[in-house]
Amino acid sequence: MAATLLPTLSPPVSRAAAAFLLLRRAPPKPFRSHPLRRLLASSSSSPPTPPLRLLSTMPSSSAAAPARRDLLMLGIETSCDDTAAAVVRGDGEILSQVVSSQEDLLARYGGVAPKMAEEAHTLVIDQVVQKALEDANLSGSDLSAVSVTIGPGLSLCLRVGVHKARQIAKAFGLPIVGVHHMEAHALVSRLVNKDLDFPFLALLISGGHNLLVLAQSLGQYVQLGTTIDDAIGEAYDKSARWLGLDMRKGGGPALEELALEGDPNAIKFRVPMRQHKDCNFSYAGLKTQVRLAIESRNLCTDDIPISSASEEDRQSRANIAASFQRVAVLHLEERCQRAVEWALKMEPSIKHFVVSGGVASNQYVRTRLNHIAENNGLQLVSPPPSLCTDNGVMIAWTGIEHFVAGRFDDPPAADEPDDVQYDLRPRWPLGEEHSEGRSVARSLKTARVHPSLTSMIQGSLQKYSL
């Protein structure tokens, strides 16, 4: 295994970073919502770190100002169950990409176990980051900055990545960019499609999130819809597990593969939330329908994996998988169609519909949503599957976008203690909620339902609000 990085107290600074440090003319205006502020566990005080020099404050005629291509960003991602790192140039060239999957743990525990995931991240983070640097033929002293996911995600897992990022930043005097995980899923499409300009509509779909956002500019987003209970990725994973599928490569891919063998109209599952004229999502009810369908057919999926099922049994499972997928994606289509209509009213210049996140690697999902885009005169933009699932490239690229805009934090102080407490964002709003979406939450206040149910639904809305 590759050697791990060892921090030093008086490290060299990269040429690109040095140019930022030397050419400062005036202090930058503070950016109101970009954190990686930290709370020190130790009460000892250290001298303030000099502010970093922003690209936007450099004289345009200066020969020493680095070109964007010269920027080298390390991205680190540990928000959930994959340990990932990558190095990306300022112009979008991917120099390295390394991912360590926890698929064995997922299969063993039937999903993500936070404490086990944290331990797995801790075991491999040094090797993953070192390999990303070696594959890029770089050392820490060559970097311009480090970017790292600080939320949303599992706090235990986020802490591993942030600790490593600060270790590297302290060792080499590098600025740090704290990255919003879901914003990174949206912005990585700008790396693969250079024609993708703001504003654009984005659907972000993963195991933990369903989000429809209008991206107006960097850092400016309007939430059009979110999930009020379970996300589509969660529904795929649970359904795959209940059907006895092999979870080592993820429930979504396993279910999509089995669905190819089934009849999508064999079971008449109900499409969720058709009576609600908004852009929000709900998959808890559909999950229940799948569970009942399995039980009503007396399928022994807990004892008999799909690999050992009879031909008749396998066909029944395939029909359930195909019928689930048809309705799950139909729910996406209906919400996205309404979101397109809302977005075009707000920003008539929209030309692109971005679909990203782990579930966006599903080919059936892409095909169906491409129809929505084409029917509304939009171009569907979706990253390749390797950039849809959690990865370091999307973190590095989002870091570059914010770094160039002058949104980053100072290098850690040389005497920063190892037990520093980080400002993590397990639940981190990405933008304002659209007024029509807010009406759903307001209606709960006057709805004649049990107070505990109202509280539960409002909590779900807050949990996933952008």
Side-chain angles (χ1 to χ4, degrees):
M1 189 65 71
T4 58
L5 293 174
L6 296 176
T8 58
L9 292 179
S10 52
V13 179
S14 68
R15 288 186 296 273
F20 280 87
L21 290 168
L22 294 174
L23 295 175
R24 171 76 182 276
R25 290 294 180 268
K29 296 181 180 179
F31 178 56
R32 65 178 177 86
S33 65
H34 189 76
L36 192 61
R37 298 182 300 272
R38 59 197 185 276
L39 301 174
L40 295 180
S42 169
S43 60
S44 61
S45 60
S46 58
T49 304
L52 291 170
R53 288 30 182 165
L54 307 185
L55 187 63
S56 59
T57 64
M58 292 182 180
S60 58
S61 60
S62 173
R68 176 158 175 158
R69 176 176 169 77
D70 293 331
L71 298 176
L72 292 168
M73 181 71 70
L74 170 65
I76 299 175
E77 154 64 20
T78 62
S79 65
C80 190
D81 58 340
D82 285 329
T83 310
V87 178
V88 179
R89 283 193 182 276
D91 61 358
E93 181 184 356
I94 300 171
L95 300 183
S96 66
Q97 180 179 5
V98 180
V99 179
S100 176
S101 174
Q102 297 181 13
E103 58 187 29
D104 291 338
L105 283 177
L106 294 176
R108 185 187 314 167
Y109 292 99
V112 179
K115 187 60 180 176
M116 297 297 101
E118 177 199 19
E119 293 177 0
H121 285 305
T122 302
L123 285 173
V124 302
I125 185 67
D126 289 339
Q127 290 80 10
V128 167
V129 170
Q130 186 65 33
K131 186 171 184 351
L133 291 172
E134 290 177 351
D135 289 353
N137 197 26
L138 298 171
S139 67
S141 61
D142 297 312
L143 297 172
S144 305
V146 180
S147 55
V148 61
T149 306
I150 63 174
L154 301 173
S155 295
L156 292 174
C157 299
L158 291 166
R159 189 176 297 117
V160 176
V162 173
H163 178 76
K164 183 62 180 179
R166 295 194 71 83
Q167 181 188 56
I168 296 171
K170 182 169 70 171
F172 298 100
L174 301 174
I176 306 178
V177 185
V179 172
H180 190 295
H181 180 81
M182 299 309 292
E183 182 184 26
H185 274 305
L187 295 185
V188 73
S189 296
R190 284 167 50 85
L191 181 152
V192 299
N193 188 320
K194 302 303 183 185
D195 295 328
L196 178 58
D197 292 326
F198 295 103
F200 60 84
L201 176 66
L203 170 67
L204 310 177
I205 41 179
S206 65
H209 301 273
N210 271 49
L211 299 171
L212 274 164
V213 295
L214 172 59
Q216 296 178 313
S217 62
L218 181 65
Q220 297 295 323
Y221 307 94
V222 178
Q223 175 189 308
L224 302 179
T226 185
T227 182
I228 64 172
D229 42 53
D230 296 328
I232 186 172
E234 160 73 6
Y236 263 95
D237 287 343
K238 282 290 178 63
S239 297
R241 190 173 305 118
W242 292 337
L243 289 168
L245 306 188
D246 186 347
M247 300 292 291
R248 285 177 295 180
K249 294 185 178 180
L255 190 143
E256 180 187 11
E257 182 178 355
L258 180 62
L260 295 174
E261 304 175 22
D263 177 2
N265 296 301
I267 304 172
K268 304 302 180 184
F269 290 133
R270 296 184 303 279
V271 180
M273 295 184 68
R274 274 192 159 165
Q275 72 276 22
H276 296 285
K277 305 304 179 183
D278 55 44
C279 298
N280 292 326
F281 303 88
S282 170
Y283 283 95
L286 182 56
K287 281 170 47 181
T288 300
Q289 293 182 68
V290 170
R291 186 66 176 172
L292 293 174
I294 294 172
E295 293 175 353
S296 67
R297 286 158 179 78
N298 296 317
L299 299 175
C300 300
T301 58
D302 292 336
D303 302 323
I304 304 175
I306 190 68
S307 58
S308 303
S310 65
E311 183 176 346
E312 181 181 359
D313 188 318
R314 184 182 182 93
Q315 187 60 53
S316 294
R317 299 190 202 193
N319 288 342
I320 294 174
S323 299
F324 158 79
Q325 180 168 252
R326 180 184 68 83
V327 174
V329 178
L330 182 56
H331 185 36
L332 281 184
E333 294 178 66
E334 292 178 351
R335 295 350 238 182
C336 288
Q337 175 58 42
R338 184 172 292 115
V340 168
E341 296 168 2
W342 286 7
L344 287 173
K345 287 180 181 178
M346 299 172 67
E347 297 283 357
S349 62
I350 290 175
K351 297 179 181 178
H352 297 94
F353 177 29
V354 169
V355 179
S356 188
V359 181
S361 59
N362 181 305
Q363 290 303 311
Y364 180 79
V365 169
R366 290 192 187 214
T367 299
R368 297 303 305 174
L369 293 181
N370 189 51
H371 293 322
I372 298 295
E374 291 180 343
N375 291 341
N376 289 277
L378 302 178
Q379 178 185 346
L380 184 75
V381 177
S382 194
S386 64
L387 297 183
C388 284
T389 54
D390 294 351
N391 61 87
V393 171
M394 71 181 194
I395 305 304
W397 175 253
T398 302
I400 288 169
E401 294 235 35
H402 282 286
F403 186 64
V404 170
R407 302 166 182 174
F408 52 83
D409 286 290
D410 296 343
D415 58 353
E416 178 178 283
D418 290 336
D419 59 350
V420 62
Q421 298 298 309
Y422 306 114
D423 183 15
L424 303 177
R425 303 297 177 92
R427 300 175 183 178
W428 184 7
L430 184 61
E432 299 295 329
E433 187 178 358
H434 182 40
S435 58
E436 292 189 55
R438 284 197 299 270
S439 65
V440 176
R442 286 197 298 269
S443 68
L444 292 173
K445 297 180 180 179
T446 58
R448 294 182 178 179
V449 296
H450 194 279
S452 63
L453 178 59
T454 300
S455 176
M456 179 188 71
I457 299 174
Q458 287 176 328
S460 297
L461 286 169
Q462 293 172 359
K463 177 179 180 181
Y464 293 104
S465 80
L466 273 183

